[in-house]
Amino acid sequence: DLKITIIGGGSSYTPEIIEGFIKRHDTLPVKEIWLVDIEEGKEKLEIVGNLAKRMVKKAQIDCTVNLTLDRKDALKGSDFVVTQFRVGLMDARIRDEKIPLRYNCIGQETTGAGGFAKALRTIPVILDICKDMEKICPDAWLINFTNPSGIITETVLKHTNIKVIGLCNVPVLMHMVAAEAVGAKSKDEVFVHFAGLNHLVWGRKIYYQGKDVTSQVVEKIVNGMKFTTRNIAEMGWIKEQIKDLNMLPCPYHRYYYLTYKMLQEEIESAKTIGTRGEIVKKVEKELFEIYKDPNLAEKPKQLEQRGGQYYSDAACELINSIYNDKRIIMTVNTRNNGAIADLPDDVAIETSCVITKQGAIPLNTGHVEVQIRGLLQVIKAYEELTIEAAIKGDYNKALQALTMHPLVTSAEVAKKILDDIIKENIDYLPQF
Ligand code: NAD
Ligand code: MN
């Protein structure tokens, strides 16, 4: 019997993960789900938690849903700990989006300087959680969603004794697009070999019915097949470049490949409809009104508007595959261990892995093409430095990390952004 603890339980995504456990209850006997939140999230926890209770009751499965603000208590006897929290709540995200824009740099939740700020706030908290886990449930798996997912996963890999796998829904969406592009009935008929980093992942090879169909999929993508996530504007691609690449880029690649266009779009949106964080804040308010309905006992359709869909379901499938040693292939964040020969062994990569009872075993990629190697290495170096800076509260390392990032234009700009980030997040930066 399994006990699952979800940290950040008040998240609007929680109904999807509950649905995922209900669907799999025959093979994944989850007996207890504990939703953990903090004082500031208490109201959301109550609303979402009560919906979760109604869902489980309606499904008539043998499982309890428990709500708490006491993390240590919830961790006792946990088999899996799922982290989906947001340090500083949505207002911090909105600041992350706005600070870089002041200096004409991309302002985004996970990519560039915004993601850097989120990492600085999140790393002390994830280390605290792991310290608790080391004492209370040292054998539990940590399934991390918390963004920046790759950086957070690497932090846990390098600085704790906890077993961790990081997850994102972007590879799932890319896999679905690839299947649609070749006219497959489901994504299970198509194999995509993913390699890269979180939010910088490429579908390097795509196979269908025993054939390499990568260029066929790429052709569809460059000719306008819809391919983005809720949070990223559909901007098309530079055809010649993507065709030469002959890989499936991820929607976040637009920040690097179409920086100017993306920046203009962000500046325009910030002035008119608001940043993505500001929009999501409104969508969430409406969602929580829907969640309050005492007659609602399932995941409401409106959750799709929120973005991030399939990622909770992916988490359930991942937990299922670990628990039942299913050895299915999923794309997750795990220790490189030589799978990508152009990156250090001890860093986190996002790649296709076999999911076993012992964890994720990455499929081998070897050396990557020169067309993607440079960006891959520079972003990984940025991530490594960011983790060091966040752990030690090292201002110079932080400046170095931001300066290196391709979406931050220079050390001059990096310093200004860094000073704003520290000043405006000081309540969440005990290390600085
Ligand atoms: P949210 O703002 O709803 O936050 C979720 C909950 O976390 C809130 O109820 C909040 O009170 C709580 N929280 C904040 N600090 C906490 C702490 N120290 N301990 C426990 N709980 C805490 O956020 P969301 O939009 O649901 O997203 C949650 C996280 O998941 C974010 O980091 C987001 O970036 C990430 N996310 C990841 C993916 C992915 O594919 N990897 C997709 C969507 C969202
Ligand atoms: Mn993601």
Side-chain angles (χ1 to χ4, degrees):
D1 290 3
L2 289 170
K3 173 172 172 179
I4 312 271
T5 296
I6 303 177
I7 298 181
S11 164
S12 60
Y13 295 115
T14 295
E16 185 174 298
I17 203 168
I18 301 292
E19 185 188 72
F21 288 130
I22 291 172
K23 269 200 307 211
R24 292 174 180 80
H25 201 255
D26 288 346
T27 52
L28 189 66
V30 175
K31 283 280 158 67
E32 283 179 58
I33 299 173
W34 286 71
L35 304 179
V36 184
D37 216 291
I38 51 172
E39 193 58 43
E40 292 92 309
K42 201 173 165 183
E43 203 191 318
K44 282 171 71 179
L45 178 68
E46 289 283 324
I47 297 169
V48 135
N50 286 331
L51 171 57
K53 285 180 184 177
R54 295 194 297 276
M55 288 173 71
V56 163
K57 192 173 169 208
K58 185 182 172 195
Q60 295 184 318
I61 57 166
D62 176 16
C63 176
T64 62
V65 175
N66 310 271
L67 317 183
T68 183
L69 303 184
D70 185 344
R71 181 169 82 207
K72 289 194 173 69
D73 189 41
L75 288 176
K76 278 178 208 148
S78 291
D79 300 289
F80 291 90
V81 177
V82 178
T83 41
Q84 54 172 30
F85 58 90
R86 184 186 293 283
V87 179
L89 312 180
M90 208 52 94
D91 288 336
R93 172 183 179 168
I94 295 168
R95 286 197 295 273
D96 291 350
E97 291 166 336
K98 288 187 168 172
I99 292 173
L101 280 184
R102 280 175 208 157
Y103 305 99
N104 275 316
C105 293
I106 293 286
Q108 211 277 331
E109 177 186 15
T110 61
T111 301
F116 171 85
K118 188 162 163 59
L120 292 191
R121 286 193 305 275
T122 309
I123 284 173
V125 178
I126 198 76
L127 290 177
D128 258 9
I129 291 171
C130 288
K131 232 184 258 156
D132 284 353
M133 286 179 70
E134 283 167 356
K135 281 190 215 117
I136 300 168
C137 53
D139 295 324
W141 278 97
L142 176 61
I143 309 295
N144 178 65
F145 288 161
T146 303
N147 275 319
S149 190
I151 290 180
I152 300 308
T153 303
E154 185 166 317
T155 303
V156 176
L157 287 170
K158 284 182 170 171
H159 296 279
T160 81
N161 296 315
I162 296 300
K163 299 179 288 189
V164 64
I165 297 180
L167 212 50
C168 175
N169 66 336
V170 164
V172 181
L173 292 166
M174 291 167 72
H175 194 175
M176 289 168 102
V177 166
E180 195 190 325
V182 297
K185 279 188 222 71
S186 90
K187 69 174 171 44
D188 300 336
E189 294 179 356
V190 174
F191 175 62
V192 184
H193 190 164
F194 287 96
L197 310 178
N198 179 241
H199 294 186
L200 191 80
V201 72
W202 287 270
R204 277 183 70 251
K205 288 279 175 221
I206 307 171
Y207 303 100
Y208 179 51
Q209 297 180 330
K211 291 197 194 74
D212 183 340
V213 293
T214 316
S215 49
Q216 203 180 316
V217 175
V218 165
E219 193 65 38
K220 287 261 165 83
I221 294 299
V222 297
N223 284 308
M225 183 174 169
K226 192 187 164 333
F227 173 44
T228 193
T229 55
R230 288 241 170 240
N231 59 334
I232 303 176
E234 176 69 273
M235 287 290 175
W237 302 93
I238 302 296
K239 277 191 194 182
E240 297 87 340
Q241 186 234 339
I242 300 299
K243 280 176 77 164
D244 176 76
L245 200 59
N246 200 36
M247 292 179 207
L248 191 57
C250 83
Y252 288 87
H253 277 110
R254 289 199 174 94
Y255 292 110
Y256 302 97
Y257 293 164
L258 306 172
T259 313
Y260 183 72
K261 235 174 159 184
M262 295 302 281
L263 182 60
Q264 293 312 308
E265 195 276 336
E266 284 189 345
I267 292 171
E268 194 50 36
S269 295
K271 272 193 264 171
T272 51
I273 51 175
T275 67
R276 180 69 196 160
E278 289 173 311
I279 294 169
V280 166
K281 212 174 160 178
K282 284 183 213 145
V283 173
E284 282 228 314
K285 270 219 175 83
E286 291 161 26
L287 253 189
F288 276 84
E289 283 309 309
I290 295 166
Y291 287 2
K292 278 183 193 164
D293 177 359
N295 296 313
L296 181 72
E298 56 189 42
K299 181 184 83 180
K301 250 203 110 20
Q302 292 90 332
L303 180 53
E304 285 167 22
Q305 296 302 316
R306 173 68 183 80
Q309 80 215 93
Y310 312 119
Y311 94 129
S312 307
D313 199 65
C316 296
E317 196 48 37
L318 177 63
I319 292 172
N320 196 12
S321 194
I322 295 173
Y323 178 74
N324 288 307
D325 200 15
K326 280 174 67 179
R327 305 176 198 185
I328 58 169
I329 294 175
M330 287 184 77
T331 304
V332 298
N333 288 264
T334 191
R335 192 177 190 274
N336 181 25
N337 268 347
I340 298 179
D342 307 295
L343 295 176
D345 286 347
D346 64 344
V347 301
I349 60 168
E350 184 165 283
T351 193
S352 307
C353 293
V354 181
I355 310 296
T356 74
K357 219 174 177 66
Q358 297 78 45
I361 302 174
L363 299 187
N364 186 58
T365 288
H367 289 285
V368 297
E369 294 71 9
V370 65
Q371 285 94 327
I372 68 171
R373 190 178 63 209
L375 185 55
L376 182 68
Q377 288 179 332
V378 81
I379 295 298
K380 180 42 78 185
Y382 147 80
E383 292 186 351
E384 293 180 67
L385 280 173
T386 298
I387 294 167
E388 272 189 54
I391 297 245
K392 299 187 190 127
D394 185 328
Y395 181 90
N396 293 342
K397 282 250 159 57
L399 183 58
Q400 209 64 264
L402 265 185
T403 301
M404 177 180 294
H405 201 292
L407 298 178
V408 177
T409 37
S410 68
E412 297 157 279
V413 168
K415 185 164 169 48
K416 287 180 182 153
I417 293 179
L418 178 60
D419 290 342
D420 286 5
I421 287 173
I422 292 175
K423 193 166 148 235
E424 291 175 41
N425 287 279
I426 198 67
D427 295 346
Y428 300 103
L429 302 178
Q431 74 274 48
F432 276 94

